[in-house]
Amino acid sequence: MENRVHSHQQQKEETITENCMSNEVAIIPLLTPYKMGNFNLSHRIVLAPLTRQRSYNNVPQPHAILYYSQRASKGGLLIAEATGVSDTAQGYPETPGIWTKEQVEAWKPIVDAVHAKGGIFFCQIWHVGRVSNQDFQPNGQAPISCTDKPLMPQIRANGIDVARFSPPRRLRTEEIPQIVNDFRLAARNAMEAGFDGVEIHGAHGYLLDQFMKDQINDRTDQYGGSLENRCRFALEVIEAVANEIGADRVGIRLSPYANYLDSGDSNPTALGVYMAESLSKYGILYCHMVEPRMKLSEESFECTESLLPMRKAFKGTFIVAGGYDKEDGNKTVAENRTDLVSYGRLFLANPDLPKRFELDAPLTKHNRSTYCLSDPVVGYTDYPFLENTA
């Protein structure tokens, strides 16, 4: 039955491709509908998860109601900013969590506002691992990771400030199930808050990625060494979360090619394909993968690698991210290289991005210096809508 559904979806994709390639049909591929599991999407433009650092004391704030509802559309998929799974998961100022009752209650009106606009809302659940320092940790303890190798200082998202990290503590083998359980409970809490599902953050040098990448993971137990061992922790998290809330409500974000936060791997293609094949066995809803050209967070590089092997290996919905514009996104969908395209900076600066793509309207430029201001309005909810730019 599942294969029949998948082949039916494939036929639909091929029809879209043929129509889009035909000169007679002026279809915008990104604005065609798509059925993602049980969710009916009206277009293929996804709000990427964007850390905005405006959740004071790690509690989502009322200003996030406006921010997310501005970017919601009927049948549009939004992925919330990275949200900590526990009190050891934090590594940045004022990022939200979902491990306490207060946090869950604070998320509820935000989720309700997105649903009121007809949007579909997933919560990205996150543990930073070693990308932290003792100031963010309970009782000033060391951050946890797969390793005790420290992370070098990094430039923050605004391009100016420098983040410094405390040497991490290597997790003992017997501690790892507790971290898996933190993700499971966070997923349960996300459902309690009303989210439609969760995206597990397995990208960009954070905890799951630290285990997966051989330039970081130097363990000698069953969570280190071989590719299978390095992916074991991530797949245990996937299994626990899928068992808790249903695989049809679970996605994951991966960046096998990225070197962000010193997270390189000697064979990223093998890592990406192995994860895509493994995820398919759990039947999760989607795989959200960052393009090889985005080796670093802000720069795009020319490269020969492609996500196509992972696209072919994964049986669910495939989402690509990383440096896409309208033309590039349309082409990728038309060529059936992805199902959906996630947009970060463009969506941050253009709350009505699907409408602008539809009308081929000019786009507002993002302001990097205000990405992570703690201001509840500036650089957050004050980007103009199309009707306000005339």
Side-chain angles (χ1 to χ4, degrees):
M1 176 63 188
E2 192 184 315
N3 287 346
R4 209 160 65 236
V5 170
H6 190 61
S7 68
H8 173 64
Q9 182 71 49
Q10 220 163 359
Q11 283 166 3
K12 255 178 23 184
E13 303 288 353
E14 284 157 11
T15 307
I16 287 167
T17 306
E18 285 159 24
N19 287 345
C20 295
M21 295 304 192
S22 160
N23 292 329
E24 297 146 38
V25 187
I27 285 178
I28 301 171
L30 283 167
L31 296 176
T32 54
Y34 175 77
K35 187 164 172 50
M36 181 180 78
N38 298 321
F39 302 101
N40 293 308
L41 305 185
S42 64
H43 58 78
R44 296 164 185 251
I45 302 161
V46 179
L47 173 67
L50 297 165
T51 293
R52 306 308 312 277
Q53 294 181 216
R54 289 163 169 87
S55 298
Y56 314 136
N57 298 315
N58 306 127
V59 177
Q61 298 295 306
H63 45 254
I65 297 171
L66 179 58
Y67 171 75
Y68 283 109
S69 65
Q70 283 178 333
R71 287 155 184 77
S73 57
K74 185 169 169 46
L77 173 61
L78 277 61
I79 305 169
E81 63 209 271
T83 300
V85 299
S86 70
D87 61 357
T88 67
Q90 305 298 112
Y92 297 81
E94 320 293 17
T95 50
I98 197 158
W99 72 88
T100 70
K101 183 74 178 158
E102 182 188 9
Q103 291 163 338
V104 172
E105 291 303 316
W107 273 115
K108 285 180 179 178
I110 304 168
V111 177
D112 289 347
V114 170
H115 286 159
K117 297 276 288 285
I120 292 128
F121 204 12
F122 273 54
C123 182
Q124 191 190 62
I125 54 176
W126 182 43
H127 196 300
V128 300
R130 70 175 184 166
V131 188
S132 187
N133 65 51
Q134 289 164 310
D135 294 342
F136 294 111
Q137 295 298 317
N139 308 315
Q141 65 193 40
I144 57 173
S145 182
C146 62
T147 183
D148 55 13
K149 289 189 289 191
L151 178 61
M152 298 305 292
Q154 307 277 330
I155 301 290
R156 288 282 195 204
N158 63 9
I160 301 163
D161 297 332
V162 176
R164 301 185 188 282
F165 309 100
S166 304
R169 179 178 70 79
R170 185 193 305 271
L171 281 164
R172 298 189 305 275
T173 307
E174 64 270 18
E175 291 179 291
I176 291 174
Q178 178 56 53
I179 312 301
V180 173
N181 196 52
D182 288 340
F183 276 89
R184 182 185 67 80
L185 292 173
R188 179 200 284 179
N189 287 345
M191 295 296 100
E192 165 74 14
F195 282 101
D196 297 296
V198 301
E199 174 177 289
I200 295 161
H201 199 338
H204 289 154
Y206 298 116
L207 186 60
L208 271 68
D209 207 27
Q210 288 160 33
F211 272 84
M212 285 186 271
K213 299 287 184 66
D214 62 10
Q215 286 183 19
I216 302 177
N217 189 332
D218 56 358
R219 299 180 74 88
T220 55
D221 63 2
Q222 66 262 41
Y223 293 98
S226 68
L227 178 59
E228 292 77 9
N229 280 0
R230 284 183 281 116
C231 293
R232 187 185 307 278
F233 171 58
L235 294 173
E236 286 179 354
V237 169
I238 287 280
E239 184 174 30
V241 169
N243 286 344
E244 181 66 35
I245 67 170
D248 58 345
R249 293 184 179 275
V250 178
I252 188 169
R253 195 175 213 213
L254 298 169
S255 59
Y257 295 93
N259 295 324
Y260 189 46
L261 297 170
D262 298 346
S263 63
D265 192 82
S266 62
N267 193 343
T269 301
L271 171 59
V273 169
Y274 176 76
M275 281 300 291
E277 289 172 347
S278 302
L279 296 170
S280 294
K281 293 172 189 165
Y282 293 103
I284 67 168
L285 181 62
Y286 72 75
C287 178
H288 183 184
M289 210 167 266
V290 179
E291 286 285 354
R293 63 190 175 202
M294 301 305 289
K295 291 197 190 324
L296 300 173
S297 64
E298 287 288 328
E299 290 177 75
S300 181
F301 292 80
E302 286 295 318
C303 70
T304 54
E305 300 102 338
S306 146
L307 293 181
L308 207 53
M310 293 110 231
R311 159 69 160 162
K312 288 177 174 167
F314 183 65
K315 300 294 182 275
T317 292
F318 201 71
I319 308 176
V320 294
Y324 276 93
D325 58 17
K326 177 187 171 183
E327 184 185 357
D328 204 9
N330 277 326
K331 186 171 186 287
T332 304
V333 172
E335 292 174 354
N336 199 22
R337 296 166 75 87
T338 192
D339 300 306
L340 309 173
V341 180
S342 78
Y343 289 89
R345 284 162 287 186
L346 289 187
F347 224 146
L348 178 156
N350 298 273
D352 50 357
L353 189 65
K355 174 63 72 179
R356 289 182 191 240
F357 278 4
E358 183 186 349
L359 300 176
D360 203 20
L363 299 177
T364 304
K365 179 87 174 74
H366 61 90
N367 180 354
R368 186 178 177 186
S369 70
T370 61
Y371 281 1
C372 297
L373 284 186
S374 64
D375 193 288
V377 176
V378 177
Y380 191 57
T381 55
D382 62 348
Y383 280 105
F385 284 78
L386 203 48
E387 60 267 26
N388 301 338
T389 58

